[in-house]
Amino acid sequence: ITSEAARADVQRLRAAAGAILTGVGTVVADDPALTVRDDRFDLGGLQPLRVILDRNLRTPPSSKIFRGVGETLLFTENEDSCLADPLIAQGAVIESCPVLASGLDLGAVLRRLAELEVNDVLVEAGPGVIGAFVQQGLFNELVIYISPKLFGNSAIDVVSLPELKNIDSANQMRFTNVRAVGSDLRLTLVPNGG
């Protein structure tokens, strides 16, 4: 959807991250590699840690996240060996995670990543995972790329949030940067007061 320049800008964000986190829905739908592929960024042969939120171990063992350099960590509530063993055979590290009513405990995920000395986590996920981080206030900034294309009512949301009861209950954000990236816009927002 976005321009080559915007995709290159995402590579810059990835190169600065200690981990790139996504949900299993994105892995199943898009089969991303979640790696830095731009030669302008010399990571010394390393890659950010790939982190997958996979409550029921639905990640296909053939996924791109298991190819090439770098480690893949899956957080799950289901450590069933029948499901885990093929993923472990592909190099995955699987860790159990507490579950809340809304899904995997994102606070516990971030605490575990901090224990692993991951200081910067780039969440590159679908609207459900992004929405969960926003709802729980577990983010420092949002970077949103907008392409000058209109998709209509069938377009996928950027962030999935509960329906507003009134305008005052909206998540208050403020822009810290708005700039053109190729033919697209990149918006950087932080929580109001953040």
Side-chain angles (χ1 to χ4, degrees):
I1 295 172
T2 54
S3 66
E4 188 172 321
R7 291 189 297 276
D9 197 58
V10 170
Q11 292 293 306
R12 180 187 58 77
L13 293 174
R14 285 181 177 184
I20 303 169
L21 182 148
T22 197
V24 67
T26 295
V27 174
V28 170
D30 299 337
D31 195 20
L34 299 181
T35 57
V36 178
R37 296 181 298 278
D38 191 321
D39 294 336
R40 293 177 300 157
F41 305 107
D42 180 11
L43 302 178
L46 301 175
Q47 286 287 335
L49 175 66
R50 293 177 292 257
V51 179
I52 313 301
L53 304 178
D54 188 353
R55 188 172 178 171
N56 295 305
L57 293 180
R58 296 188 303 124
T59 298
S62 61
S63 298
K64 288 179 187 172
I65 57 168
F66 299 121
R67 297 184 201 150
V69 177
E71 296 180 7
T72 303
L73 172 60
L74 278 74
F75 285 101
T76 186
E77 76 165 316
N78 181 1
E79 292 187 87
D80 182 331
S81 63
C82 292
L83 299 171
D85 288 348
L87 299 171
I88 293 168
Q90 293 300 317
V93 174
I94 298 176
E95 293 196 15
S96 183
C97 181
V99 178
L100 305 174
S102 59
L104 293 175
D105 183 341
L106 299 179
V109 167
L110 293 177
R111 285 188 296 278
R112 177 62 180 138
L113 292 176
E115 290 172 0
L116 295 173
E117 299 183 0
V118 173
N119 297 318
D120 297 292
V121 179
L122 175 64
V123 179
E124 203 174 314
V129 171
I130 299 291
F133 275 93
V134 169
Q135 279 184 270
Q136 295 176 40
L138 298 173
F139 69 103
N140 294 327
E141 69 178 13
L142 292 177
V143 178
I144 300 172
Y145 296 87
I146 299 177
S147 177
K149 299 171 185 161
L150 301 175
F151 288 94
N153 294 342
S154 62
I156 297 172
D157 294 333
V158 173
V159 179
S160 180
L161 296 169
E163 187 173 332
L164 291 178
K165 294 188 183 356
N166 59 56
I167 197 75
D168 293 330
S169 63
N171 286 286
Q172 299 295 319
M173 308 289 290
R174 65 180 170 84
F175 294 107
T176 59
N177 189 283
V178 176
R179 72 177 181 97
V181 179
S183 59
D184 304 311
L185 282 179
R186 185 183 78 191
L187 311 177
T188 305
L189 303 93
V190 297
N192 212 9

